[in-house]
């Protein structure tokens, strides 16, 4: 587990791509809208189209290198397939005597209707996986928080407090290595739930220091007058185009497969 | 160790005497966020391990969901420590956001899950006006969070499950929440207090 893997700073190429320059809030809004839209249908069509569109957009508009995208997708796709299989095996339609029996595996009866439903659910989860991966691989966490504050009107104290805490992720990996080494030295099992206590102790100590440093610099202090921004963000035509495309796409897909 | 390590925030009032106020100190914000981030990493690892727990479902269908509540811990642990309105939602969504950025098979739905799970616990704490932090209240908050997750997953991931299995899933998740979330939070807070990092917090 390397530090760079755990602290995913995205590369310049993705950050300056079309999708990288789109407001993170627009991408987030589309992702949530698509998610809600997919919850409304069991048809496999809409999620399959969204998977194709998302992956092409990620590669072409987001400039995500194919190996990087694949490395992110493969383990997640396997987990998604697991959920689809679970749905297939435990489908209520397998017990329905009117359903067409396809095969039997030991005591399990698998019906055509259950296969169709599981395929739809598998496609839905595949779409969720693809959208999440492309969002994470084209969104700089700092820009996400800037957008939440400037465009989403989230309280800067909470948003930047969370960002400051997020920067500690690579240190958490270091802490974990230290704690495991310490346990090994004492002849204990390296993995134990107690490690979590050690991790939290170190994280909270660091949070205390961070809070003192932030207070000392007048972070979020109402006495300092109006706030200025270091990295001003503005809505652009690009944001409007991407948002419109995303909304139209899901509406058309849902209407077409009704 | 730097000199800052030994600096302690001077308590303006005896920690447990005054009722918890609605105003967040910077320290409350950052500590809540850090708990969220630490559990975000735990969520991410738990998500990767989740596939490996699949064989549990072959022993008893949906048995795996008895491990579900690990995803609900920050929604009770963080408010139990800082005791501020919104802490459950902030910590749970922070953890969900971090695990989504690190890479989760639930993608952006992680945020939606985090929202409903955090909001359910938040409602329970709001109902006590953030005054009562007994084990029964923590247990109700934990089960409420599990109930929200149960409904969300029913609609999105298991729409085709037989109703008996949905109920069994709900019962397993509730038990899981009592053990991991309510019990786990109390044990973690006790360990953290013993380690001396909760000075100046009401917990």
């Amino acid at each position: 587990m390397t530090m760079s893997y755990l602290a995913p700073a995205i590369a310049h190429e993705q950050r300056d791509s079309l999708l990288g320059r789109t407001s993170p809030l627009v991408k987030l809004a589309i992702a949530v809208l698509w998610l809600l839209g997919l919850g409304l249908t069991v048809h496999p069509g809409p999620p399959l189209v969204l998977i194709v569109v998302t992956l092409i957009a990620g590669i072409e508009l987001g400039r995500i290198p194919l190996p990087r995208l694949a490395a992110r997708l493969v383990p997640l796709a396997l987990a998604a397939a697991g959920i689809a299989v679970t749905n297939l095996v435990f489908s209520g339609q397998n017990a329905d005597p009117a359903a067409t029996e396809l095969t039997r595996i030991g005591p399990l009866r698998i019906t055509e209707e259950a296969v169709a439903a599981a395929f739809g659910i598998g496609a839905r989860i595949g779409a969720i996986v693809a959208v999440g991966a492309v969002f994470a691989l084209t969104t700089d966490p700092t820009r996400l928080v800037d957008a939440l504050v400037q465009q989403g009107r989230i309280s800067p104290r909470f948003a930047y407090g969370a960002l400051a805490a997020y920067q500690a992720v690579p240190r958490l990996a270091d802490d974990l290595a230290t704690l495991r080494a310490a346990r090994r030295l004492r002849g204990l099992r390296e993995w134990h739930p107690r490690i979590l206590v050690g991790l939290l102790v170190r994280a909270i100590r660091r949070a205390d220091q961070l809070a003192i440093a932030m207070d000392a610099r007048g972070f979020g202090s109402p006495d300092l007058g109006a706030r200025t921004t270091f990295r001003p963000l503005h809505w652009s035509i690009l944001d409007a185009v991407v948002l419109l495309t995303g909304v139209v796409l899901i509406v058309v897909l849902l209407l077409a497969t009704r | 160790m730097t000199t800052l390590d030994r600096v302690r925030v001077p308590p303006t009032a005896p920690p447990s005497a005054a009722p918890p106020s609605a105003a967040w100190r910077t320290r409350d914000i950052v500590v809540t966020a850090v708990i969220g981030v630490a559990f975000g990493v735990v969520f991410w690892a738990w998500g990767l391990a989740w596939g490996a727990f699949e064989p549990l479902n072959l022993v008893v269908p949906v048995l795996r969901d008895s491990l579900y509540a690990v995803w609900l811990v920050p929604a009770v642990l963080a408010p139990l420590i800082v005791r501020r309105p919104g802490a459950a939602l902030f910590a749970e969504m922070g953890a969900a956001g971090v695990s989504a950025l690190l890479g989760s098979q639930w993608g952006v739905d992680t945020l939606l899950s985090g929202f409903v799970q955090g909001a359910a616990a938040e409602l329970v704490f709001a109902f006590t006006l953030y005054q009562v932090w007994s084990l029964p209240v923590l247990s109700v908050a934990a089960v409420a969070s599990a109930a929200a997750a149960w409904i969300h997953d029913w609609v999105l991931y298991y729409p085709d499950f037989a109703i008996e299995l949905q109920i069994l899933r709900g019962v397993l998740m509730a038990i899981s929440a009592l053990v991991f979330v309510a019990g786990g939070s109390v044990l973690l807070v006790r360990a953290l207090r013993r380690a001396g990092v909760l000075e100046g917090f009401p917990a």
Side-chain angles (χ1 to χ4, degrees):
Chain A
M1 193 185 296
T2 62
M3 289 194 304
S4 57
Y5 185 58
L6 264 180
I10 67 164
H12 282 286
E13 202 186 351
Q14 284 98 59
R15 207 174 53 196
D16 298 335
S17 69
L18 269 181
L19 274 186
R21 279 184 283 123
T22 308
S23 167
L25 290 195
V26 167
K27 286 185 278 183
L28 204 54
I30 291 176
V32 171
L33 192 73
W34 284 9
L35 181 67
L36 297 176
L38 290 178
L40 294 176
T41 179
V42 287
H43 197 290
L48 288 178
V49 173
L50 290 185
I51 291 174
V52 172
V53 170
T54 305
L55 293 184
I56 291 177
I59 294 166
E60 291 298 322
L61 307 179
R63 303 244 152 268
I64 307 171
L66 200 53
R68 200 149 176 228
L69 188 59
R72 164 85 58 140
L73 284 177
V74 167
L76 304 180
L78 287 177
I83 302 178
V85 170
T86 310
N87 265 285
L88 175 63
V89 173
F90 301 124
S91 170
Q93 303 192 40
N94 286 334
D96 183 355
T100 323
E101 181 173 316
L102 203 63
T103 181
R104 274 180 181 276
I105 309 168
L108 286 171
R109 178 170 180 257
I110 306 287
T111 60
E112 270 177 30
E113 285 80 354
V115 171
F119 183 69
I121 294 160
R124 175 194 290 180
I125 299 163
I128 291 172
V129 165
V131 171
V134 168
F135 177 84
L137 291 176
T138 60
T139 305
D140 181 37
T142 305
R143 193 171 288 183
L144 171 63
V145 171
D146 282 340
L148 281 173
V149 170
Q150 294 177 39
Q151 299 175 323
R153 309 274 162 190
I154 300 272
S155 153
R157 291 186 78 207
F158 286 87
Y160 288 115
L163 182 63
Y166 181 70
Q167 309 295 352
V169 168
R171 293 214 212 147
L172 277 173
D174 288 348
D175 287 349
L176 190 62
T178 310
L179 288 165
R180 288 178 59 198
R183 288 187 66 87
R184 196 166 55 227
L185 209 61
R186 290 153 66 200
L188 301 169
R189 275 190 304 141
E190 276 186 49
W191 289 106
H192 188 278
R194 285 197 76 84
I195 285 189
L196 184 59
V197 176
L199 267 186
L200 284 174
V201 165
R202 297 180 69 125
I204 292 175
R205 286 222 175 100
R206 209 172 294 122
D208 282 347
Q209 298 174 10
L210 200 58
I212 291 168
M214 288 159 89
D215 275 341
R217 288 161 180 79
F219 170 72
S221 166
D223 310 329
L224 296 178
R227 234 192 127 78
T228 54
T229 42
F230 180 46
R231 297 171 293 261
L233 291 177
H234 304 285
W235 295 110
S236 68
I237 302 284
L238 179 66
D239 295 328
V241 171
V242 173
L243 183 63
L244 195 67
T245 312
V247 173
V248 168
L249 185 59
I250 186 73
V251 170
V252 167
L253 283 174
L254 286 182
L255 289 180
T257 57
R258 221 150 56 107
Chain B
M1 191 175 263
T2 65
T3 47
L4 268 179
D5 275 313
R6 283 183 293 279
V7 176
R8 287 281 174 260
V9 178
T12 46
S16 57
S21 98
W24 288 69
R25 300 169 299 173
T26 304
R27 188 175 182 226
D28 299 322
I29 293 177
V30 183
V31 167
T32 306
V34 148
I35 290 171
V37 169
F39 272 91
V41 178
V42 172
F43 284 9
W44 168 78
W46 201 240
L48 291 183
W50 196 240
F53 298 146
E54 181 85 39
L56 284 177
N57 283 343
L58 299 176
V59 182
V60 175
V62 305
L63 180 62
R64 178 169 64 171
D65 279 341
S66 59
L67 299 172
Y68 192 100
V70 168
W71 278 303
L72 312 174
V73 174
V76 168
L77 177 65
L80 178 60
I81 290 174
V82 304
R83 304 194 178 179
R84 292 287 186 274
L89 199 54
F90 183 33
E92 187 70 34
M93 285 209 70
V98 167
S99 76
L101 283 173
L102 295 178
S104 135
Q105 62 264 50
W106 298 284
V108 175
D109 175 51
T110 321
L111 295 179
L112 189 62
S113 296
F115 178 79
V116 298
Q117 293 160 2
E122 189 69 52
L123 277 178
V124 173
F125 295 130
F127 197 69
T128 73
L129 299 175
Y130 303 96
Q131 302 284 322
V132 189
W133 300 93
S134 60
L135 188 58
V137 169
L138 301 181
S139 303
V140 173
V143 172
S145 182
W150 177 60
I151 294 169
H152 166 276
D153 292 2
W154 182 334
V155 176
L156 210 58
Y157 295 114
Y158 307 111
D160 209 32
F161 264 34
I163 187 77
E164 304 81 33
L165 281 179
Q166 300 283 14
I167 292 169
L168 178 61
R169 219 168 53 78
V171 171
L172 287 176
M173 285 171 71
I175 296 171
S176 173
L178 290 175
V179 174
F180 286 109
V181 183
S185 292
V186 168
L187 290 180
L188 274 175
V189 163
R190 190 178 297 163
L192 292 176
R193 199 193 298 123
R194 209 179 293 143
V197 290
L198 297 186
E199 278 173 51
F201 282 113

